[in-house]
Amino acid sequence: MSIDLSRFHAGFFEESLEGLAVMETGLLALENGSADEETLHAIFRAAHSIKGGAGSFGFARISQATHHLETLLDELRSGHRRADAEVLKVLYLALDGVRAMITAAQAGGALPETRVQAFEAALKAVLDQGASGPVASTPAPLASASPSRLWHLQFAPSPALLSTGNEPLLLMQALAELGTLEGEVQVPADLHLAELSPDDCRLSWQLRLTTAATEADIREIFAWVEDCCLLTLTPMPASTPLTVSTAMGEPEAVAVTAAVAVTGPAPVPEAAVPPALPTASIRVGVDKVDALINLVGELVITQAMLQQASSVLDPATFERLHAGLAQLERNTRSLQASVLAVRMLPVGTVFSRFPRLVRDLADKLGKKVRLVLDGESTELDKGMIERITDPLTHLLRNALDHGLETPAERRAAGKNEEGRLRLSARHASGAIVLEIEDDGRGLNRERIVARALERGVISQLPATDNEIDQLIFEPGFSTAEAVTDVSGRGVGMDVVRKNVLALGGRIDLGTTPGQGTRITVRLPLTLAILDGMSIAVGDEVFIVPISSVLESLQPTPEQLPPLSGAQRLVKVRERYLPLMRLSERFGLPGGSDGPGIAVVVEADGRRLALMVDALVGQQQVVIKSLEQNYQTVPGIAGATILGDGRVALILDVAQLASESALAVAA
């Protein structure tokens, strides 16, 4: 039976790229002196897994190239070589080369052979330098360095081995490449072909291998199946007689004679029971998870429809129905939370790629930088993580290039030569807040205004410092004197703002000349479902994110002081808050002329009160993108379908708060 290995390529690519990330983190730790004893082992295991996986899934060139890398890492972890600057440089080169190979294979393109040969040559050069050391650096001398030896192997895989993408035939072929392989297959006596599933592996093997390879070399072939098989490896005298049979032709006889007359020094145990497969985690396609989330969203809508339809029924007469619907709501909430948690990943998966980026870029720019990461365990939706990576990369590159000074400039300014760059993540009011902060020179507002006028970005002077700061997000704006491969084209910050806004987020900037700049990116926790408060304005129903609602009240005339112009205030516990009538804001007819109800909300550290006609209730709503189905509407974050089938708009509280010039700090 043959297996289409291409089905497992996606998993191999994903695991290999994760392994390379582990290696990169470990190399950075080695370089900055924060590595411990386990660091080198982790780096080696990652390289070993990539090599083994590449060999198993038909990427022989990747496996071959990784072999030299693995050899060098083995010398490092065994203490026969130091991780000096030259070795680390070659390891970084090899790591980038292997990543390029995997990326090319993932895209179905040709491997970058020139680049591969370059890092292979660099690895060999380093290994040759260490040839006179206590450890031989020649990679895997399998055929000539040592005398041949006879080994007995018992290989009893789990019945589920085939479902993991591994095939015994490939393992046998790999063993045969080490020397002379003979053996026999064992078939259980109680095996009936009519009852056998094609995916069950019910066979085991007794093998004899004559090879010069070491025990580690032999075991390495089984590295990817060691968790789902029983493997015993025993050295045997060369004079041991060899018995070979073709078991599949005589299944019953072979089963009885499973214990071949092996007379080696360590008898192979009988009645091998393959261990159970590990069940700690499984890999599932994102498309399947998204489909599941969409189904849960529809379930939430259906539950809301049933809830609304039952609201007109007498609670006493339909007690069991109401109890059942209440149970349905609880179960729906639990299901929703569980499904959404599947998509949540720690933001550290993004942060982990930046130490290398900062290291390389700082070296290129001749700057000394210390990157501080904080809040890496903060979880964010996987889709959000994938789409925020490029904006964060732009922000870090800009902070390094424009924000931080050179060592000489910092000394002249009385600062430490080493600049500080901090990247952090945290939860705040139902949102994720990412901050990029540096202790550099800050924005030069005079230069920004001059360059904006020069490039025609503006035609008149901005009124406030905040308006000047926002100019760096304008298309085509840059203060760089020359275009380099780092910056200068004026497209990075513009793209950053567009991407953040497309995610339903906001980006804010604060700067102090001579002290540094802080850029804050605020993103919604998820784009799928939210808890909302339904409010009525005339005949329309709006949804306010419940995380933004502080309180609601029915103001008395004494709480509504008369003001000239369009501005209104409401007094809430000796404090005046700006008041926005939603009927006026969205031009709705039929709004109530009475005082109505004031809903106090908070967003981005600012508070205001929204005047509505009535509070309808609280419910979970499934967010539908307004941009994808219609167009962007200022003050509206999205739409949803209510239980009665009507469409309700979801308010963008942060946008409304920013529109109010009187919005007060929380």
Side-chain angles (χ1 to χ4, degrees):
M1 182 179 65
S2 63
I3 296 179
D4 180 13
L5 295 180
S6 63
R7 291 187 301 159
F8 307 103
H9 285 177
F12 163 70
F13 294 139
E14 190 172 348
E15 291 181 358
S16 296
L17 293 174
E18 290 175 0
L20 289 171
V22 170
M23 293 175 64
E24 193 169 72
T25 301
L27 293 180
L28 289 167
L30 284 174
E31 188 173 27
N32 62 31
S34 62
D36 56 19
E37 185 177 351
E38 174 58 21
T39 303
L40 266 175
H41 291 292
I43 298 173
F44 178 83
R45 284 197 299 270
H48 182 74
S49 296
I50 293 172
K51 174 190 168 185
S56 297
F57 294 116
F59 300 102
R61 188 69 183 93
I62 298 178
S63 179
Q64 180 187 3
T66 314
H67 183 80
H68 301 293
L69 173 61
E70 184 188 48
T71 303
L72 179 56
L73 291 171
D74 192 34
E75 291 187 6
L76 287 171
R77 69 169 185 165
S78 61
H80 292 89
R81 187 183 292 274
R82 290 178 57 251
D84 55 23
E86 181 185 6
V87 170
L88 286 172
K89 181 179 178 181
V90 172
L91 289 175
Y92 280 125
L93 182 66
L95 186 147
D96 292 341
V98 174
R99 179 180 284 133
M101 296 176 78
I102 292 174
T103 303
Q106 189 176 24
L111 298 181
E113 190 58 35
T114 303
R115 186 172 181 179
V116 175
Q117 291 178 5
F119 81 73
E120 280 184 319
L123 285 168
K124 289 177 181 176
V126 172
L127 290 169
D128 289 341
Q129 291 174 10
S132 59
V135 176
S137 59
T138 305
L142 303 180
S144 60
S146 304
S148 294
R149 193 174 185 184
L150 178 62
W151 294 86
H152 176 270
L153 293 86
Q154 183 187 23
F155 174 51
S158 161
L161 176 78
L162 299 177
S163 65
T164 65
N166 294 288
E167 186 175 356
L169 176 60
L170 297 176
L171 300 174
M172 303 305 165
Q173 290 174 346
L175 284 175
E177 292 176 358
L178 297 181
T180 303
L181 179 67
E182 297 175 305
E184 60 187 41
V185 63
Q186 295 177 283
V187 182
D190 59 347
L191 182 66
H192 301 288
L193 293 179
E195 301 174 356
L196 185 63
S197 168
D199 295 330
D200 285 346
C201 182
R202 302 290 299 278
L203 308 177
S204 60
W205 286 263
Q206 298 281 353
L207 303 169
R208 293 170 182 273
L209 176 66
T210 303
T211 178
T214 64
E215 179 176 351
D217 293 327
I218 301 172
R219 289 190 179 278
E220 181 182 324
I221 293 176
F222 297 90
W224 276 60
V225 299
E226 60 184 4
D227 292 334
C228 50
C229 77
L230 177 68
L231 176 70
T232 59
L233 181 60
T234 309
M236 300 181 67
S239 58
T240 303
L242 185 64
T243 303
V244 181
S245 66
T246 54
M248 290 303 291
E250 302 172 352
E252 294 186 3
V254 171
V256 173
T257 60
V260 180
V262 176
T263 57
V268 178
E270 299 180 11
V273 179
L277 288 173
T279 57
S281 64
I282 59 173
R283 289 184 182 274
V284 179
V286 176
D287 55 337
K288 295 180 180 179
V289 176
D290 288 343
L292 184 59
I293 290 177
N294 285 336
L295 287 175
V296 172
E298 297 303 319
L299 178 62
V300 170
I301 293 175
T302 305
Q303 181 266 327
M305 294 174 67
L306 292 173
Q307 194 77 35
Q308 182 155 342
S310 66
S311 62
V312 297
L313 301 178
D314 179 61
T317 306
F318 298 94
E319 181 180 0
R320 292 183 60 186
L321 176 61
H322 284 284
L325 290 174
Q327 183 64 41
L328 175 62
E329 182 181 5
R330 290 192 292 272
N331 292 342
T332 303
R333 281 180 175 272
S334 298
L335 179 61
Q336 171 214 324
S338 299
V339 171
L340 289 180
V342 173
R343 280 189 60 96
M344 303 301 281
L345 292 176
V347 76
T349 56
V350 179
F351 285 8
S352 62
R353 66 185 65 184
F354 293 134
R356 175 74 186 282
L357 181 146
V358 171
R359 170 195 175 275
D360 292 350
L361 190 56
D363 185 58
K364 188 173 186 177
L365 296 172
K367 297 181 178 180
K368 295 182 178 179
V369 183
R370 180 165 56 94
L371 177 64
V372 179
L373 301 178
D374 191 18
E376 297 152 277
S377 61
T378 306
E379 291 191 330
L380 188 60
D381 186 273
K382 176 178 172 58
M384 200 87 72
I385 282 180
E386 292 171 348
R387 295 165 65 182
I388 198 63
T389 301
D390 286 344
L392 288 180
T393 302
H394 276 295
L395 292 174
L396 282 172
R397 290 169 65 90
N398 263 26
L400 263 168
D401 192 21
H402 299 297
L404 292 174
E405 311 94 331
T406 63
E409 291 172 335
R410 292 182 67 86
R411 283 196 304 272
K415 296 181 178 179
N416 190 308
E417 282 189 355
E418 184 182 65
R420 182 175 182 272
L421 190 57
R422 180 174 179 269
L423 176 59
S424 64
R426 58 185 168 84
H427 287 280
S429 302
I432 296 291
V433 177
L434 304 171
E435 287 185 343
I436 300 93
E437 183 179 8
D438 67 71
D439 65 347
R441 57 173 67 92
L443 296 185
N444 185 333
R445 294 192 173 104
E446 292 182 0
R447 188 178 177 192
I448 290 174
V449 171
R451 185 55 63 93
L453 290 170
E454 175 187 330
R455 295 201 170 196
V457 177
I458 56 175
S459 57
Q460 58 184 7
L461 293 177
T464 65
D465 288 345
N466 183 55
E467 292 180 7
I468 296 174
D469 297 342
Q470 294 301 316
L471 289 175
I472 69 171
F473 295 107
E474 293 298 322
F477 180 82
S478 174
T479 57
E481 298 294 342
V483 176
T484 67
D485 58 348
V486 178
S487 62
R489 298 188 185 278
V491 296
M493 298 301 280
D494 175 37
V495 173
V496 166
R497 183 169 66 174
K498 285 182 178 178
N499 288 353
V500 171
L501 293 177
L503 290 172
R506 296 176 55 81
I507 184 166
D508 297 302
L509 184 149
T511 184
T512 303
Q515 297 183 21
T517 302
R518 175 189 295 171
I519 294 181
T520 303
V521 177
R522 187 180 297 267
L523 299 170
L525 191 59
T526 177
L527 300 176
I529 298 173
L530 66 78
D531 287 308
M533 171 182 282
S534 305
I535 57 175
V537 181
D539 295 331
E540 300 295 332
V541 175
F542 292 89
I543 304 296
V544 185
I546 202 73
S547 57
S548 301
V549 178
L550 299 179
E551 62 180 310
S552 62
L553 65 150
Q554 190 166 32
T556 61
E558 293 73 21
Q559 292 178 282
L560 300 170
L563 292 176
S564 60
Q567 299 294 342
R568 293 184 174 83
L569 295 175
V570 59
K571 186 177 183 181
V572 181
R573 287 189 292 277
E574 307 305 323
R575 186 181 186 184
Y576 286 98
L577 298 177
L579 183 68
M580 176 181 289
R581 289 188 179 275
L582 290 183
S583 58
E584 295 177 358
R585 170 60 181 79
F586 294 108
L588 299 174
S592 172
D593 295 331
I597 297 177
V599 180
V600 181
V601 296
E602 177 185 321
D604 289 346
R606 288 177 288 193
R607 292 182 182 180
L608 81 160
L610 303 175
M611 184 60 78
V612 303
D613 293 341
L615 304 180
V616 179
Q618 295 183 18
Q619 60 180 305
Q620 288 185 318
V621 297
V622 180
I623 304 174
K624 304 293 184 183
S625 171
L626 210 56
E627 290 82 0
Q628 294 178 4
N629 299 289
Y630 178 55
Q631 64 182 29
T632 300
V633 178
I636 300 299
T640 190
I641 301 174
L642 299 176
D644 58 4
R646 289 191 297 166
V647 174
L649 299 177
I650 302 171
L651 296 180
D652 184 346
V653 177
Q655 174 69 33
L656 296 177
S658 68
E659 291 178 3
S660 176
L662 297 178
V664 298

